[in-house]
Amino acid sequence: MDDLKAKYLGEISAAADEAALEAIRLAAVGKKGEISLKMRELGKMTPEERQVAGPALNALKDEVNSAIAAKKAGLADAALNERLQTEWLDVTLPSRGRPAGSIHPISQVTQEVTAIFADMGFAVAEGPQIEDDWHNFDALNIPSHHPARGEMDTFYMHRAEGDNRPPHVLRTHTSPVQIRSMLEKGAPIRVICPGRVYRADYDQTHTPMFHQVEGLAIDKDISMANLKWVLEEFVKSFFEVDGVELRFRASHFPFTEPSAEVDIRCSWDNGQLKVGEGDDWLEILGSGMVHPKVLEAGGINPAEWQGFAFGMGIDRIAMLKYGIPDLRAFFDSDLRWLRHYGFAALDQPDLASGLSR
């Protein structure tokens, strides 16, 4: 055992990278490693021999595993230090003559969306990111038993014991801005509501904080036909294509009735999305006619006025348009990523000369 100990501790100390370290681990304590095979021999020993060899083998195994873990941590620290040295930047140095900074794709797409809807007469409305649950849920016809109101999906703000104020949340959508806009401006109204929203989810296509834009139009003679035209014009302008085909699928949202999810006809060519052609369909947003209860919550008489609403993820349509594979990269603060996907700061989106110049 002393020979095994000296052998493997020496090899671990000399390992140059994690691949070499893993090979040593397998040779020592893997299923067919030397120490593992020695431990299998305990069954052939007498009880007296096992009392001596068993603890010694376990101690040897623990020592080798500890040495491997320590070496692995050391290699990781060395790799991090090397990376920090290569990526180090003295922010106090004068400018090196690089071009103007880059616009983040989220900012760019928000500007593109705003330009498109402004051309159709939509104003931009904003609201607080910390909302009371009446604006975020009740006013939008989302009942108290709805799953979206559970703490598994929603970030609730902490309340001190004895605090009787209504619960507050990090808003889960930008729909509360629609309620605030209706209460403030009344009808008729035509607004879009872009902004940050928050939900308890995190994977390749979901993050705890992301961006949405919602649209609201209320008047006395608005119908689903108007909604369809607005969305068709938006998709054509945003993806910069001459024609699109939309498919409305019946769905259910508490704040609209009837409700529909909207798909666009498309194709995928070597991972590249092509809108307006092909045999595939891609869901991009939810929409519908504003529910009468939502109009009432906004101080508007549903017997006199009606309207449509829609909502989509800004991050999602940015990924589709610019071929960005992972949503989480939007929030990594990696300048190399931004230099690849970023946009020139002075090239403002314009419908006449092109959105994504």
Side-chain angles (χ1 to χ4, degrees):
M1 292 188 196
D2 289 339
D3 291 342
L4 287 176
K5 177 180 176 180
K7 171 185 174 183
Y8 285 114
L9 292 183
E11 290 182 0
I12 291 168
S13 177
D17 52 42
E18 290 195 19
L21 196 60
E22 177 63 12
I24 296 168
R25 186 191 70 80
L26 292 174
V29 294
K31 284 187 177 181
K32 297 182 180 179
E34 281 192 87
I35 298 175
S36 299
L37 293 177
K38 289 283 185 184
M39 296 188 79
R40 292 181 189 176
E41 295 176 3
L42 291 174
K44 301 176 183 179
M45 298 181 184
T46 65
E48 293 78 13
E49 290 174 328
R50 276 199 299 273
Q51 287 182 350
V52 176
L57 280 170
N58 280 322
L60 174 60
K61 183 179 179 181
D62 290 343
E63 190 169 356
V64 168
N65 280 327
S66 297
I68 290 172
K71 183 66 175 181
K72 187 173 183 179
L75 289 172
D77 289 343
L80 177 60
N81 287 333
E82 183 178 352
R83 181 182 172 189
L84 291 174
Q85 288 297 321
T86 58
E87 297 182 358
W88 180 83
L89 175 67
D90 186 351
V91 296
T92 65
L93 289 174
S95 170
R96 298 181 183 177
R98 289 190 67 240
S102 300
I103 296 294
H104 194 281
I106 293 297
S107 300
Q108 171 76 13
V109 170
T110 301
Q111 291 174 5
E112 293 177 9
V113 170
T114 301
I116 294 169
F117 283 111
D119 192 58
M120 291 189 274
F122 285 79
V124 175
E126 295 181 327
Q129 296 181 42
I130 298 177
E131 273 288 9
D132 60 76
D133 65 345
W134 186 84
H135 283 93
N136 197 80
F137 295 122
D138 295 322
L140 292 163
N141 197 35
I142 301 175
S144 58
H145 57 78
H146 196 280
R149 299 184 73 150
E151 293 186 0
M152 291 291 292
D153 296 314
T154 300
F155 293 106
Y156 280 85
M157 307 301 292
H158 174 72
R159 286 197 296 173
E161 188 175 349
D163 187 348
N164 295 319
R165 291 177 300 174
H168 281 67
V169 301
L170 293 178
R171 66 182 183 189
T172 58
H173 41 197
T174 53
S175 301
V177 183
Q178 297 182 20
I179 299 296
R180 292 181 178 274
S181 298
M182 286 189 280
L183 289 170
E184 179 183 346
K185 300 176 181 177
I189 188 173
R190 198 183 304 179
V191 295
I192 60 168
C193 317
R196 294 185 182 93
V197 296
Y198 305 84
R199 294 180 193 170
D201 206 352
Y202 187 68
D203 58 32
Q204 188 172 356
T205 55
H206 300 86
T207 55
M209 186 276 284
F210 55 104
H211 302 80
Q212 277 188 345
V213 59
E214 302 196 15
L216 173 71
I218 297 175
D219 213 318
K220 292 191 174 181
D221 56 356
I222 284 183
S223 68
M224 290 286 285
N226 302 115
L227 170 64
K228 184 174 184 291
W229 179 85
V230 166
L231 295 179
E232 284 178 345
E233 291 301 306
F234 167 74
V235 173
K236 284 193 292 185
S237 297
F238 180 73
F239 289 103
E240 301 179 77
V241 294
D242 294 329
V244 296
E245 183 178 349
L246 300 186
R247 180 175 70 179
F248 283 66
R249 288 182 292 107
S251 185
H252 170 73
F253 305 112
F255 28 80
T256 52
E257 180 59 39
S259 304
E261 291 185 351
V262 181
D263 305 330
I264 53 173
R265 183 181 289 278
C266 65
S267 65
W268 294 92
D269 184 10
N270 294 323
Q272 182 70 33
L273 175 68
K274 293 187 176 180
V275 174
E277 60 181 63
D279 298 320
D280 294 329
W281 294 91
L282 180 68
E283 186 267 322
I284 57 167
L285 58 89
S287 65
M289 299 299 290
V290 181
H291 197 288
K293 290 185 177 179
V294 176
L295 291 174
E296 289 177 350
I300 295 174
N301 184 359
E304 213 178 322
W305 305 90
Q306 62 187 28
F308 62 74
F310 58 86
M312 69 189 87
I314 293 177
D315 315 72
R316 173 170 168 74
I317 61 175
M319 292 172 70
L320 294 175
K321 181 172 181 177
Y322 295 111
I324 301 171
D326 194 326
L327 178 62
R328 293 167 292 191
F330 282 114
F331 310 100
D332 284 345
S333 301
D334 190 329
L335 289 177
R336 295 167 300 182
W337 181 89
L338 186 57
R339 287 172 190 139
H340 179 75
Y341 287 108
F343 293 83
L346 300 179
D347 287 344
Q348 294 296 318
D350 181 82
L351 292 180
S353 55
L355 291 172
S356 52
R357 289 181 293 162

